[in-house]
Protein backbone atom coordinates (compact mmCIF):
# COMPACT_ATOMS: atom_id res chain seq x y z
CA UNK A 1 0.00 0.00 0.00
CA UNK A 2 1.29 3.41 -1.00
CA UNK A 3 2.62 5.66 1.77
CA UNK A 4 0.93 9.02 2.15
CA UNK A 5 3.05 12.11 1.88
CA UNK A 6 2.16 15.57 3.08
CA UNK A 7 2.10 18.31 2.13
CA UNK A 8 1.65 17.83 -1.60
CA UNK A 9 3.56 21.01 -2.31
CA UNK A 10 5.28 23.75 -0.43
CA UNK A 11 6.79 27.06 -1.46
CA UNK A 12 9.52 28.54 0.68
CA UNK A 13 11.86 31.47 0.60
CA UNK A 14 15.53 30.69 0.74
CA UNK A 15 16.60 30.16 4.33
CA UNK A 16 13.24 28.96 5.60
CA UNK A 17 12.57 25.52 7.05
CA UNK A 18 10.26 22.76 5.88
CA UNK A 19 8.97 19.44 7.13
CA UNK A 20 7.75 16.68 4.83
CA UNK A 21 5.83 13.79 6.30
CA UNK A 22 5.40 10.21 5.16
CA UNK A 23 3.02 7.75 6.79
CA UNK A 24 2.17 4.15 6.11
CA UNK A 25 -0.58 1.80 7.22
CA UNK A 26 1.87 -1.11 7.05
CA UNK A 27 4.58 -2.08 9.48
CA UNK A 28 7.73 -0.83 7.87
CA UNK A 29 11.27 -2.07 7.95
CA UNK A 30 12.77 1.01 6.39
CA UNK A 31 12.00 4.40 4.92
CA UNK A 32 14.11 5.84 2.12
CA UNK A 33 14.09 9.51 1.16
CA UNK A 34 14.92 10.77 -2.32
CA UNK A 35 14.93 14.12 -4.08
CA UNK A 36 14.15 14.23 -7.77
CA UNK A 37 14.48 17.11 -10.18
CA UNK A 38 12.39 17.13 -13.32
CA UNK A 39 13.53 14.50 -15.83
CA UNK A 40 16.38 13.34 -13.64
CA UNK A 41 17.02 10.31 -11.49
CA UNK A 42 15.89 10.27 -7.88
CA UNK A 43 18.88 11.13 -5.71
CA UNK A 44 19.28 9.22 -2.47
CA UNK A 45 19.16 11.37 0.65
CA UNK A 46 18.98 8.92 3.54
CA UNK A 47 17.58 5.67 4.82
CA UNK A 48 15.96 5.08 8.19
CA UNK A 49 15.50 1.66 9.69
CA UNK A 50 12.91 0.58 12.21
CA UNK A 51 14.10 1.55 15.64
CA UNK A 52 13.11 5.19 15.66
CA UNK A 53 16.44 6.57 14.62
CA UNK A 54 17.13 10.03 13.35
CA UNK A 55 19.75 10.77 10.77
CA UNK A 56 21.23 13.88 9.28
CA UNK A 57 22.76 14.90 5.99
CA UNK A 58 24.08 18.47 5.82
CA UNK A 59 21.03 20.59 6.68
CA UNK A 60 18.64 17.77 5.94
CA UNK A 61 17.64 15.30 8.62
CA UNK A 62 14.92 12.75 9.11
CA UNK A 63 13.23 10.71 11.78
CA UNK A 64 11.25 7.49 11.84
CA UNK A 65 8.59 6.79 14.41
CA UNK A 66 8.16 3.04 14.32
CA UNK A 67 5.07 3.04 16.53
CA UNK A 68 3.22 5.37 14.21
CA UNK A 69 4.88 4.13 11.01
CA UNK A 70 5.68 7.72 10.20
CA UNK A 71 8.78 9.40 8.92
CA UNK A 72 9.51 13.08 8.64
CA UNK A 73 12.13 14.85 6.57
CA UNK A 74 13.42 18.14 7.96
CA UNK A 75 14.95 20.76 5.70
CA UNK A 76 16.56 23.64 7.57
CA UNK A 77 17.78 26.92 6.14
CA UNK A 78 16.68 25.79 2.71
CA UNK A 79 18.82 26.55 -0.31
CA UNK A 80 17.77 27.06 -3.91
CA UNK A 81 19.29 23.69 -4.75
CA UNK A 82 16.75 21.98 -2.47
CA UNK A 83 13.99 22.58 -5.00
CA UNK A 84 12.55 19.41 -6.44
CA UNK A 85 10.14 16.63 -5.65
CA UNK A 86 10.78 14.66 -2.50
CA UNK A 87 9.70 11.05 -2.38
CA UNK A 88 9.62 8.68 0.50
CA UNK A 89 9.98 5.03 -0.41
CA UNK A 90 9.01 2.32 2.01
CA UNK A 91 10.00 -1.31 2.44
CA UNK A 92 8.41 -3.90 4.69
CA UNK A 93 11.27 -6.36 4.51
CA UNK A 94 14.93 -5.79 5.14
CA UNK A 95 17.99 -6.51 3.09
CA UNK A 96 16.76 -4.99 -0.13
CA UNK A 97 14.24 -7.77 -0.68
CA UNK A 98 11.45 -5.34 -1.50
CA UNK A 99 11.09 -2.95 -4.30
CA UNK A 100 10.34 0.38 -2.71
CA UNK A 101 6.80 1.69 -2.68
CA UNK A 102 6.93 5.43 -3.20
CA UNK A 103 4.55 8.10 -2.02
CA UNK A 104 3.12 10.56 -4.51
CA UNK A 105 5.83 13.06 -3.73
CA UNK A 106 6.06 16.53 -2.24
CA UNK A 107 6.92 19.35 -4.59
CA UNK A 108 9.25 21.83 -2.95
CA UNK A 109 9.86 25.21 -4.54
CA UNK A 110 12.50 27.48 -3.05
CA UNK A 111 12.34 31.11 -4.05
CA UNK A 112 15.20 33.56 -3.70
CA UNK B 1 32.35 6.67 -8.27
CA UNK B 2 30.61 4.35 -10.70
CA UNK B 3 26.87 4.71 -10.95
CA UNK B 4 24.02 2.70 -12.37
CA UNK B 5 24.24 2.79 -16.16
CA UNK B 6 21.16 2.57 -18.33
CA UNK B 7 20.85 2.34 -22.07
CA UNK B 8 19.50 3.63 -24.28
CA UNK B 9 18.78 6.99 -22.70
CA UNK B 10 16.06 7.75 -25.21
CA UNK B 11 13.94 5.44 -27.31
CA UNK B 12 11.07 6.06 -29.68
CA UNK B 13 8.93 3.11 -30.74
CA UNK B 14 5.65 2.64 -32.53
CA UNK B 15 2.63 0.92 -31.06
CA UNK B 16 2.85 -2.86 -31.04
CA UNK B 17 6.63 -2.81 -31.41
CA UNK B 18 9.06 -4.23 -28.88
CA UNK B 19 11.74 -2.50 -26.87
CA UNK B 20 14.61 -3.62 -24.68
CA UNK B 21 16.17 -1.55 -21.95
CA UNK B 22 19.48 -2.41 -20.38
CA UNK B 23 20.82 -1.75 -16.91
CA UNK B 24 24.32 -2.15 -15.55
CA UNK B 25 24.32 -1.94 -11.74
CA UNK B 26 27.00 -0.42 -9.61
CA UNK B 27 29.95 -2.85 -9.33
CA UNK B 28 29.45 -5.43 -6.56
CA UNK B 29 25.74 -4.66 -6.36
CA UNK B 30 23.78 -7.88 -6.57
CA UNK B 31 20.22 -6.60 -6.67
CA UNK B 32 18.53 -4.73 -9.49
CA UNK B 33 15.15 -3.02 -9.48
CA UNK B 34 13.08 -1.65 -12.35
CA UNK B 35 10.71 1.28 -11.96
CA UNK B 36 8.35 3.05 -14.33
CA UNK B 37 7.59 6.73 -13.87
CA UNK B 38 4.90 8.42 -15.92
CA UNK B 39 4.77 12.22 -16.35
CA UNK B 40 4.08 13.85 -13.01
CA UNK B 41 3.80 10.48 -11.29
CA UNK B 42 5.75 8.71 -8.60
CA UNK B 43 8.03 5.85 -9.60
CA UNK B 44 6.14 2.56 -9.76
CA UNK B 45 8.01 -0.59 -8.85
CA UNK B 46 7.95 -3.20 -11.62
CA UNK B 47 10.25 -6.06 -10.71
CA UNK B 48 13.52 -6.86 -8.97
CA UNK B 49 16.26 -9.48 -9.17
CA UNK B 50 18.75 -10.78 -6.66
CA UNK B 51 21.59 -13.02 -7.73
CA UNK B 52 19.92 -13.54 -11.11
CA UNK B 53 16.65 -14.74 -9.59
CA UNK B 54 13.43 -12.76 -9.47
CA UNK B 55 13.15 -11.31 -6.00
CA UNK B 56 10.02 -9.22 -5.90
CA UNK B 57 7.29 -8.38 -8.37
CA UNK B 58 5.30 -5.20 -8.56
CA UNK B 59 3.00 -3.79 -11.18
CA UNK B 60 4.78 -5.19 -14.20
CA UNK B 61 2.42 -5.87 -17.14
CA UNK B 62 2.35 -9.36 -18.61
CA UNK B 63 3.68 -7.86 -21.85
CA UNK B 64 6.90 -7.02 -20.04
CA UNK B 65 9.59 -9.43 -18.93
CA UNK B 66 12.98 -8.99 -17.38
CA UNK B 67 16.00 -10.97 -16.37
CA UNK B 68 19.34 -10.58 -14.68
CA UNK B 69 22.40 -12.08 -16.27
CA UNK B 70 25.53 -13.70 -14.87
CA UNK B 71 27.39 -10.37 -14.94
CA UNK B 72 24.48 -8.86 -12.92
CA UNK B 73 23.30 -6.61 -15.69
CA UNK B 74 19.59 -6.68 -16.32
CA UNK B 75 17.32 -6.22 -19.31
CA UNK B 76 13.69 -5.17 -19.41
CA UNK B 77 11.87 -6.45 -22.46
CA UNK B 78 8.64 -4.76 -23.46
CA UNK B 79 6.42 -6.15 -26.19
CA UNK B 80 3.19 -5.05 -27.87
CA UNK B 81 3.94 -1.51 -26.80
CA UNK B 82 1.04 0.76 -26.02
CA UNK B 83 0.85 4.55 -25.89
CA UNK B 84 0.48 4.31 -22.12
CA UNK B 85 3.89 2.66 -21.84
CA UNK B 86 5.51 6.01 -22.61
CA UNK B 87 7.41 6.82 -19.47
CA UNK B 88 10.77 7.19 -17.84
CA UNK B 89 12.12 3.78 -16.85
CA UNK B 90 14.58 3.65 -14.01
CA UNK B 91 16.87 0.91 -13.00
CA UNK B 92 18.22 0.92 -9.46
CA UNK B 93 20.69 -1.28 -7.67
CA UNK B 94 21.87 -2.17 -4.21
CA UNK B 95 24.10 -4.59 -2.38
CA UNK B 96 22.08 -6.65 0.02
CA UNK B 97 23.00 -6.47 3.66
CA UNK B 98 21.29 -7.74 6.70
CA UNK B 99 20.37 -4.31 7.95
CA UNK B 100 19.57 -1.47 5.65
CA UNK B 101 20.61 -0.95 2.09
CA UNK B 102 21.01 2.16 0.00
CA UNK B 103 19.32 1.92 -3.37
CA UNK B 104 20.85 4.00 -6.13
CA UNK B 105 19.02 4.97 -9.29
CA UNK B 106 20.29 5.23 -12.81
CA UNK B 107 19.62 8.24 -15.02
CA UNK B 108 16.67 6.51 -16.63
CA UNK B 109 15.59 5.57 -20.13
CA UNK B 110 12.97 7.71 -21.79
CA UNK B 111 10.56 5.58 -23.80
CA UNK B 112 8.15 7.31 -26.15
CA UNK B 113 5.55 5.19 -27.90
CA UNK B 114 3.93 6.82 -30.92
Amino acid sequence: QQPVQSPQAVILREGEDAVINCSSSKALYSVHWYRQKHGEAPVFLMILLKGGEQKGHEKISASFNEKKQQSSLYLTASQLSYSGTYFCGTAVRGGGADGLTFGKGTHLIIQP
Amino acid sequence: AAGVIQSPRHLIKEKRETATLKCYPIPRHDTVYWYQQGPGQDPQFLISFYEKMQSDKGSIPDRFSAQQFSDYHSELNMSSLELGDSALYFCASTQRRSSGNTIYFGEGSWLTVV
Side-chain angles (χ1 to χ4, degrees):
Chain A
Q1 195 161 359
Q2 187 173 35
V4 177
Q5 284 187 237
S6 63
Q8 287 185 313
V10 60
I11 301 174
L12 298 175
R13 294 221 174 268
E14 204 173 359
E16 292 182 334
D17 302 340
V19 180
I20 300 171
N21 300 302
C22 174
S23 63
S24 175
S25 59
K26 282 187 168 183
L28 300 176
Y29 180 85
S30 60
V31 179
H32 306 234
W33 284 97
Y34 289 83
R35 176 172 60 219
Q36 185 180 31
K37 296 188 185 281
H38 181 69
E40 298 181 6
V43 174
F44 173 78
L45 296 176
M46 63 190 74
I47 178 175
L48 299 108
L49 308 179
K50 64 178 183 179
E53 64 179 282
Q54 183 157 352
K55 299 185 77 171
H57 174 73
E58 296 179 343
K59 295 180 181 177
I60 301 173
S61 61
S63 63
F64 179 28
N65 185 322
E66 186 182 348
K67 284 186 178 178
K68 294 183 178 180
Q69 301 303 321
Q70 289 178 352
S71 179
S72 294
L73 185 71
Y74 307 95
L75 306 167
T76 57
S78 57
Q79 305 168 15
L80 293 176
S81 61
Y82 287 3
S83 291
T85 302
Y86 289 77
F87 290 102
C88 70
T90 58
V92 298
R93 293 182 293 171
D98 292 353
L100 296 177
T101 301
F102 285 95
K104 291 193 180 296
T106 295
H107 301 282
L108 177 64
I109 298 171
I110 309 294
Q111 296 178 334
Chain B
V4 178
I5 305 297
Q6 291 187 242
S7 67
R9 293 296 314 279
H10 299 271
L11 194 59
I12 300 175
K13 290 286 186 179
E14 295 188 354
K15 283 193 302 183
R16 293 180 288 278
E17 284 192 318
T18 61
T20 297
L21 305 180
K22 295 185 178 182
C23 169
Y24 296 85
I26 293 172
R28 290 182 295 282
H29 280 196
D30 49 28
T31 303
V32 168
Y33 310 85
W34 285 98
Y35 289 85
Q36 177 192 58
Q37 187 175 30
Q41 304 294 314
D42 52 284
Q44 294 288 317
F45 170 65
L46 295 179
I47 195 168
S48 65
F49 293 87
Y50 169 62
E51 289 291 346
K52 291 146 278 183
M53 299 285 289
Q54 183 179 309
S55 174
D56 193 13
K57 194 172 182 180
S59 53
I60 185 169
D62 292 339
R63 299 177 288 107
F64 292 10
S65 65
Q67 57 181 324
Q68 186 180 33
F69 295 86
S70 58
D71 63 351
Y72 295 99
H73 93 271
S74 178
E75 295 184 3
L76 177 66
N77 300 293
M78 300 174 283
S79 62
S80 303
L81 288 169
E82 302 173 356
L83 295 178
D85 295 329
S86 295
L88 185 53
Y89 289 83
F90 287 110
C91 172
S93 73
T94 192
Q95 183 182 62
R96 286 215 181 170
R97 290 193 289 268
S98 59
S99 61
N101 57 284
T102 300
I103 300 172
Y104 295 96
F105 281 73
E107 294 297 313
S109 293
W110 285 96
L111 171 66
T112 302
V113 182
V114 296

